[in-house]
Amino acid sequence: MAEINDWKALAEKEVKGRDLTWNTPEGIPVKPLYTAEDVTADPGLPGFAPFTRGVKASMYAGRPWTIRQYAGFSTAEESNAFYRRNLAAGQKGLSVAFDLATHRGYDSDHPRVVGDVGKAGVAIDSVEDMKILFDGIPLDEMSVSMTMNGAVIPCLAFYIIAAEEQGVTPDKLTGTIQNDILKEFMVRNTYIYPPEPSMRIISDIFAYTADNMPKFNSISISGYHMQEAGATQVQELAFTIADGMEYVKYGVASGLDIDKFAGRLSFFFAIGMNFFMEIAKLRAARTLWHRAMTQLGAQSERSKMLRTHCQTSGVSLQEQDPYNNVMRTTIEAMAAMLGGTQSLHTNALDEAIALPTDFSARIARNTQIVIQEETGMCNVVDPLGGSYYIEALTKDLVDKAWEIIERVESEGGMAKAVGAGWPKAMIEEAAAARQARVDKGDDVIVGVNKYRLAEEEPIETLEVDNHKVREAQIARIKRTRENRDEAKCQAALKALAEGAKAPAGPGANMLALAVDAARERATLGEISDAMEAAFGRYGTTPTPVKGVYGGAYAGDSRYQQVLNGVEAVTTRLGRAPKLFVAKMGQDGHDRGANVIASAFSDMGFDVVSGPLFQTPEEACKMALDNNVDAVGASSLAAGHKTLIPELIGHLKEAGRADIKVVAGGVIPPQDYDFLKKAGVQGIYGPGSNVVECAADMLRLLGHNMPPVGSELESAE
């Protein structure tokens, strides 16, 4: 103890008494020094319960993690060619990204998805598309992961039939379907049906895969999208484990033996820039899942073993100085590796701007290959095990996450918590607080709020011709319908609709019935509609949090200038300036929209948050009905060149060209001129300072905002 006191005295002298403790966003005080006294639990050995140090005794010394790059865009033909190039270059597994029309259960010819087809993933309308997607890729040899939740039934049915028509039976299929609907209701929002029938769908998939697909993981319980939406690592950890517990309880309630299906559950975590926290998070997740499954009655150690895929953070990628993203992804990949992931996707440097090119995708993939082949990191199992800091941090995360899990369980489980809305509100508060720290410069992002380039060099990006893709998809849908036996197809769809209305059971398993419909060439939209007839379609309107952003800015002079400007505009108009935050198209990622709504509300704007998934016509009507001064259109899925000009056109036709339209989100700089010519008056990409966005909005509304760094103005 004397040595510790000597160290403290020396450290305080070196930094002139400054407190070196770091209080993380998770509420964990991180000390500048850890010793053996901070390690209070034995983490055990890799391959042994509670699996803190890894699920296999040999881990990467026996076999490295699977390089599983998430990809899909445009048509099935384009995506298939991209997959085959990547597999030839060293990728080991496929991870399919579907477009938003597919996620939301719409065929490509549906009028609501004009701007979404093929833009942020591959368009899949029928078995024919799925067959093309995997053409030349033997499905009895290739592990396939599919990120699909809302339209999980038709997509999995198409995959099963595509394999069948390759000559591969379901029992030989390996891979994972995400099938995690609770997190959709919390953060990502690519749901279709209400929560209760959505949970039944999951149980039906558990039952079908347990009987027919023993090598296939029936769910990937996802914390990734929670962190992307703004969750702290503690929140991501707690809510992901709690989601998993809820799915297990539903499976058991549907009559399944826990040890028959629980061993096929897998997880999916985000890996952000807090390096040691992310390593500790994966170790804590394994510890927590073992504890949770023991409490739920699992007997098999395999049922208690948390296996996970990881993906480097998308939200940590920046539009500004984008080559820094290569370093960010490398650091995050190392954290995933040191934490013990089973498979990994590494993001490309340009994904804050557009879909990755072959050039950027190669760098992302080779990041993993270099770590595996050149660094020697794979030669030691859990190389950071025993680190005083890592072990203490792992315990802190376990304890803090378990507190939240206990609250969830005391209130009736995760489905009820999601229904009550408090997990979503907790994540949105964390997101608003993070944005405020970035805008103030408290959280440094190199090239964005510090060390920024005087001038950005343009980089080449990939653009999908949405209109061409949609036309091709519509033509294929037409051919599929013309060539099928219509009577057999309609009979299969009728059986599915009746099964959805019936109580859950072997004769009413929706995946089994959808497989029959897919074999008869029913389309994705038709299968989804058959279930929608029984369940209805779910929808919500965001309710952004208040007070978090403003509280973080108390006393800031630039923030006060904006407050004064809003007050001046309010005096001139006789009411607060009114902003409509619109989400058009089928993109459900609403972090940016909610942060803007929260921050602008705190700054005194009257903010109207629109429902998700609006058409431009619906957004125009809402803007007119609310008599807004401006519309902020949030775009993250590359539909901006279709949807935003259409909105502006509707406003002009209604005689309200005076309503200012601005755009925010993932918009390539080369599209800025196109949008400005279409009438967009402000464009704010990733890394934009929200206070300066508000100052710019005040200028658009006719207020003479002082430049940054000037003296405070008085409200007049």
Side-chain angles (χ1 to χ4, degrees), residues 364-448:
R365 180 183 60 253
N366 284 357
T367 299
Q368 296 193 54
I369 296 173
V370 168
I371 293 173
Q372 287 187 355
E373 304 283 352
E374 295 189 23
T375 65
M377 289 185 185
C378 295
N379 297 334
V380 176
V381 180
D382 189 28
L384 291 184
S387 155
Y388 302 144
Y389 178 33
I390 287 293
E391 300 300 352
L393 199 51
T394 300
K395 183 180 184 304
D396 286 341
L397 285 169
V398 166
D399 292 345
K400 283 196 167 289
W402 193 251
E403 288 176 10
I404 296 176
I405 293 168
E406 286 184 321
R407 177 185 172 187
V408 170
E409 293 302 294
S410 71
E411 296 183 17
M414 200 61 193
K416 288 187 177 178
V418 168
W422 65 264
K424 183 176 180 66
M426 187 180 285
I427 291 171
E428 288 181 2
E429 287 177 7
R434 162 68 172 169
Q435 186 63 47
R437 292 195 305 273
V438 170
D439 286 348
K440 290 175 67 182
D442 294 340
D443 286 5
V444 171
I445 301 179
V446 173
V448 176

Side-chain angles (χ1 to χ4, degrees), residues 434-600:
R434 162 68 172 169
Q435 186 63 47
R437 292 195 305 273
V438 170
D439 286 348
K440 290 175 67 182
D442 294 340
D443 286 5
V444 171
I445 301 179
V446 173
V448 176
N449 61 5
K450 197 172 184 181
Y451 313 111
R452 186 155 184 170
L453 290 173
E455 185 175 339
E456 296 282 345
E457 289 289 329
I459 65 169
E460 181 184 345
T461 57
L462 177 68
E463 182 172 2
V464 173
D465 186 339
N466 164 245
H467 298 290
K468 183 178 177 182
V469 173
R470 188 165 186 262
E471 286 171 4
Q473 289 300 121
I474 290 172
R476 186 176 292 146
I477 292 170
K478 187 170 182 284
R479 289 195 301 273
T480 298
R481 288 176 176 152
E482 287 172 349
N483 294 331
R484 71 192 184 187
D485 186 322
E486 192 63 27
K488 287 184 177 180
C489 180
Q490 293 304 321
L493 288 169
K494 183 180 178 183
L496 173 59
E498 290 173 353
K501 292 174 184 175
N509 185 289
M510 286 182 284
L511 179 54
L513 294 167
V515 167
D516 293 339
R519 191 176 287 113
E520 302 302 335
R521 271 21 185 203
T523 67
L524 176 129
E526 290 168 338
I527 291 172
S528 298
D529 286 348
M531 293 188 289
E532 187 177 335
F535 302 146
R537 185 171 277 267
Y538 186 76
T540 58
T541 299
T543 307
V545 299
K546 294 184 178 180
V548 176
Y549 196 92
Y553 260 92
D556 182 85
S557 60
R558 183 58 172 171
Y559 188 77
Q560 187 60 50
Q561 286 179 333
V562 171
L563 296 183
N564 292 346
V566 173
E567 186 178 340
V569 173
T570 299
T571 300
R572 174 163 55 82
L573 296 177
R575 57 170 175 76
K578 186 175 282 192
L579 171 68
F580 169 36
V581 179
K583 283 290 295 182
M584 295 180 291
Q586 298 304 306
D587 172 38
H589 293 89
D590 58 355
R591 174 181 179 162
N594 289 339
V595 164
I596 290 295
S598 297
F600 273 61

Side-chain angles (χ1 to χ4, degrees), residues 687-702:
S688 296
N689 184 293
V690 176
V691 175
E692 292 308 317
C693 292
D696 204 41
M697 178 62 70
L698 290 172
R699 292 187 198 100
L700 291 176
L701 297 178

Side-chain angles (χ1 to χ4, degrees), residues 12 73 192 211 246 289 315 321 425 441 451 500 512 553 654 674 695:
E12 287 177 5
F73 60 94
I192 301 175
D211 289 340
E246 191 80 347
W289 187 241
V315 80
D321 206 358
Y451 313 111
Y553 260 92
F674 174 90

Side-chain angles (χ1 to χ4, degrees), residues 70 92 210 283 308 310 317 371 401 511 528 532 561 570 572 575 626 636 678 705:
Y70 178 55
K92 299 301 183 184
R283 302 171 92 253
T308 190
C310 289
L317 301 176
I371 293 173
L511 179 54
S528 298
E532 187 177 335
Q561 286 179 333
T570 299
R572 174 163 55 82
R575 57 170 175 76
N626 286 275
L636 290 175
M705 272 298 296

Side-chain angles (χ1 to χ4, degrees), residues 130-378:
M130 195 69 84
K131 288 174 67 177
I132 294 167
L133 187 67
F134 296 117
D135 182 43
I137 299 172
L139 292 177
D140 54 345
E141 300 174 15
M142 182 58 58
S143 172
V144 175
S145 171
M146 291 180 282
T147 300
M148 177 52 64
N149 303 281
V152 62
I153 289 285
C155 283
L156 191 49
F158 292 164
Y159 172 65
I160 291 166
I161 297 299
E164 179 182 287
E165 296 185 7
Q166 267 193 13
V168 179
T169 52
D171 61 298
K172 294 184 173 64
L173 295 172
T174 61
T176 305
I177 188 81
Q178 191 164 100
N179 193 26
D180 175 7
I181 203 64
L182 285 175
K183 71 98 171 48
E184 297 295 331
F185 293 115
M186 286 171 61
V187 290
R188 189 165 175 254
N189 300 311
T190 53
Y191 43 69
I192 301 175
Y193 314 109
E196 188 172 339
S198 295
M199 294 298 287
R200 156 132 184 239
I201 286 170
I202 288 170
S203 296
D204 279 7
I205 291 171
F206 284 175
Y208 184 95
T209 53
D211 289 340
N212 300 285
M213 302 168 72
K215 297 179 180 179
F216 196 82
N217 296 322
S218 53
I219 194 168
S220 175
I221 304 152
S222 175
Y224 182 88
H225 304 95
M226 297 181 200
Q227 188 179 136
E228 292 292 280
T232 67
Q233 277 88 338
V234 165
Q235 292 165 358
E236 178 193 7
L237 187 55
F239 292 137
T240 305
I241 298 297
D243 278 351
M245 294 170 71
E246 191 80 347
Y247 294 134
V248 169
K249 286 185 281 187
Y250 266 80
V252 171
S254 71
L256 294 173
D257 182 317
I258 190 171
D259 288 313
K260 186 175 180 182
F261 72 91
R264 302 311 307 171
L265 309 186
S266 67
F267 287 78
F268 175 28
F269 286 103
I271 304 294
M273 285 297 287
N274 191 342
F275 185 73
F276 293 105
M277 186 76 76
E278 294 292 5
I279 296 166
K281 182 184 75 183
L282 297 185
R283 302 171 92 253
R286 292 190 288 270
T287 307
L288 285 165
W289 187 241
H290 188 274
R291 181 188 297 180
M293 291 300 288
T294 301
Q295 289 191 5
L296 290 173
Q299 299 299 311
S300 166
E301 286 301 295
R302 180 170 175 75
S303 298
K304 305 175 187 180
M305 184 187 295
L306 182 145
R307 293 158 301 112
T308 190
H309 172 70
C310 289
Q311 180 174 340
T312 60
S313 172
V315 80
S316 73
L317 301 176
Q318 303 301 323
E319 176 186 346
Q320 296 84 358
D321 206 358
Y323 290 103
N324 289 334
N325 293 333
V326 176
M327 287 83 84
R328 293 185 178 104
T329 294
T330 302
I331 290 165
E332 291 167 351
M334 288 172 60
M337 172 267 165
L338 291 166
T341 190
Q342 277 59 69
S343 62
L344 178 62
H345 166 94
T346 33
N347 287 332
L349 67 95
D350 47 3
E351 288 189 64
I353 307 167
L355 291 168
T357 62
D358 277 8
F359 170 76
S360 65
R362 179 173 176 269
I363 293 172
R365 180 183 60 253
N366 284 357
T367 299
Q368 296 193 54
I369 296 173
V370 168
I371 293 173
Q372 287 187 355
E373 304 283 352
E374 295 189 23
T375 65
M377 289 185 185
C378 295

